[in-house]
């Protein structure tokens, strides 16, 4: 650590070179300010820590599909205990379909990035739904590498399947209900039309108590059925 004229400390690198002269040795010193370098190192470490502790799985594979890096979330998602179990191994073992890694690499070489859903395979052989985004990059020696980030979408896919099933049931019910709603309306309409004709023609003797009771009973029964259907329809419309 060096100190500036104003008393402020800063990181520095000091090099001293002895040079022999006619009157003995002279020493030349070179002082290099390392403030920017240290800032860059600290920033890089901060980003590295953030990546390592990210909730999303992150990995890097080489052109042969072998793992160069995996973070903690990746190990947890795929059921591994340590990075040593994964590094240097093939990504083929992490996919239910062994052709998936090759398909991703081919897509990356064509477009530079790949957004894909596939079935992952854990260490214990169980499978889960994965959503991965990967991009094409190059290391310091110009070799292709493929950084990618992944999330487990098993629960999301399951919920979507349940929702799709519920929507199909709803649509089937609405199709049936549209027919069923018309069924109780038909006899009610006929009874009302019959009453109207009797009134219009002045044939009030046809409106006997027994007939009126029969019409009221039938209408009440049909209205009860209509009410039940409407309640069912209201329940179904809550599915979205």
């Amino acid at each position: 650590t060096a100190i500036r004229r104003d008393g402020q400390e800063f990181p520095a690198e000091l090099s001293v070179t002895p040079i022999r002269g006619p009157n003995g040795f002279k020493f030349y010193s070179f002082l290099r300010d390392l403030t920017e370098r240290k800032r860059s190192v600290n920033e890089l470490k901060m980003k590295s820590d953030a990546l390592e502790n990210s909730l999303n799985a992150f990995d890097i594979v080489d052109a042969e599909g072998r793992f160069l890096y995996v973070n903690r979330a990746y190990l947890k998602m795929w059921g591994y205990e340590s990075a040593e179990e994964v590094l240097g191994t093939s990504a083929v073992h992490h996919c239910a379909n062994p052709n998936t890694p090759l398909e991703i690499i081919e897509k990356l070489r064509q477009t530079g990035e790949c957004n894909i859903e596939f079935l992952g395979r854990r260490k214990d052989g169980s499978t889960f739904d994965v959503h991965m985004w990967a991009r094409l990059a190059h290391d310091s020696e110009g070799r292709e590498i493929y950084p990618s980030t992944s999330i487990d979408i098993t629960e999301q896919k399951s919920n979507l399947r349940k929702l799709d099933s519920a929507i199909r049931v709803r649509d089937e019910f609405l199709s049936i209900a549209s027919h069923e709603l018309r069924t109780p309306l038909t006899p009610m309409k006929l009874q009302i039309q019959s009453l109207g004709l009797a009134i219009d023609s002045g044939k009030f003797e046809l409106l006997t108590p027994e007939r009126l009771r029969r019409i009221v009973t039938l209408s009440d029964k049909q209205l009860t059925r209509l009410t039940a259907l409407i309640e069912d329809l209201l329940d179904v419309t809550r599915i979205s």
Side-chain angles (χ1 to χ4, degrees):
T1 301
I3 301 177
R4 293 190 174 93
R5 184 178 181 180
D6 60 5
Q8 182 182 6
E9 295 184 351
F10 65 97
E13 179 182 73
L14 177 64
S15 300
V16 179
T17 303
I19 299 178
R20 185 189 295 272
N23 299 320
F25 283 96
K26 290 185 178 181
F27 296 89
Y28 294 87
S29 62
F30 301 90
L31 189 67
R32 179 182 298 173
D33 187 344
L34 300 180
T35 303
E36 289 301 323
R37 180 190 295 182
K38 187 173 181 180
R39 184 181 293 115
S40 297
V41 170
N42 289 338
E43 183 178 346
L44 183 61
K45 184 179 184 303
M46 180 180 64
K47 292 179 178 179
S48 177
D49 289 344
L51 185 63
E52 181 64 20
N53 295 289
S54 171
L55 294 176
N56 290 352
F58 185 85
D59 70 280
I60 302 175
V61 300
D62 61 18
E64 284 72 43
R66 295 172 300 190
F67 287 100
L68 300 174
Y69 171 80
V70 291
N71 70 349
R72 294 176 184 175
Y74 188 98
L75 294 173
K76 182 178 180 181
M77 191 178 297
W78 265 268
Y80 288 88
E81 298 295 328
S82 66
E84 286 70 24
E85 296 180 81
V86 179
L87 299 183
T89 64
S90 174
V92 167
H93 306 302
H94 294 218
C95 305
N97 181 352
N99 294 321
T100 298
L102 180 59
E103 293 173 0
I104 294 175
I105 291 176
E106 289 179 348
K107 179 70 172 178
L108 289 171
R109 287 173 174 169
Q110 291 172 1
T111 65
E113 64 179 47
C114 179
N115 194 3
I116 186 174
E117 293 182 7
F118 63 92
L119 201 61
R121 184 180 298 280
R122 298 187 182 93
K123 179 182 177 181
D124 63 7
S126 60
T127 58
F128 64 105
D129 293 297
V130 181
H131 184 185
M132 173 181 283
W133 182 85
R135 67 182 182 88
L136 171 64
H138 296 85
D139 64 14
S140 58
E141 298 181 5
R143 293 173 298 197
E144 286 187 4
I145 56 174
Y146 313 113
S148 67
T149 181
S150 306
I151 58 174
D152 184 342
I153 58 171
T154 303
E155 184 176 355
Q156 178 183 342
K157 297 276 281 190
S158 176
N159 290 337
L160 285 174
R161 285 190 288 268
K162 290 178 182 177
L163 180 59
D164 288 341
S165 177
I167 291 175
R168 283 196 299 271
V169 170
R170 181 199 64 182
D171 291 343
E172 291 173 2
F173 176 83
L174 290 176
S175 177
I176 295 172
S178 63
H179 173 74
E180 291 294 323
L181 282 171
R182 296 186 185 96
T183 302
L185 289 174
T186 301
M188 288 178 62
K189 185 176 182 180
L190 290 175
Q191 292 294 337
I192 291 172
Q193 288 176 343
S194 175
L195 283 174
L197 289 173
I199 293 172
D200 291 342
S201 62
K203 298 179 180 179
F204 297 104
E205 67 276 7
L206 297 177
L207 304 177
T208 62
E210 292 77 12
R211 184 180 180 188
L212 290 174
R213 187 178 298 108
R214 187 168 59 252
I215 291 174
V216 170
T217 301
L218 178 62
S219 297
D220 182 67
K221 181 179 178 181
Q222 300 303 328
L223 283 172
T224 300
R225 186 177 178 187
L226 275 173
T227 301
L229 284 171
I230 291 171
E231 289 177 351
D232 289 342
L233 278 173
L234 290 174
D235 289 338
V236 169
T237 54
R238 294 188 180 97
I239 301 174
S240 60

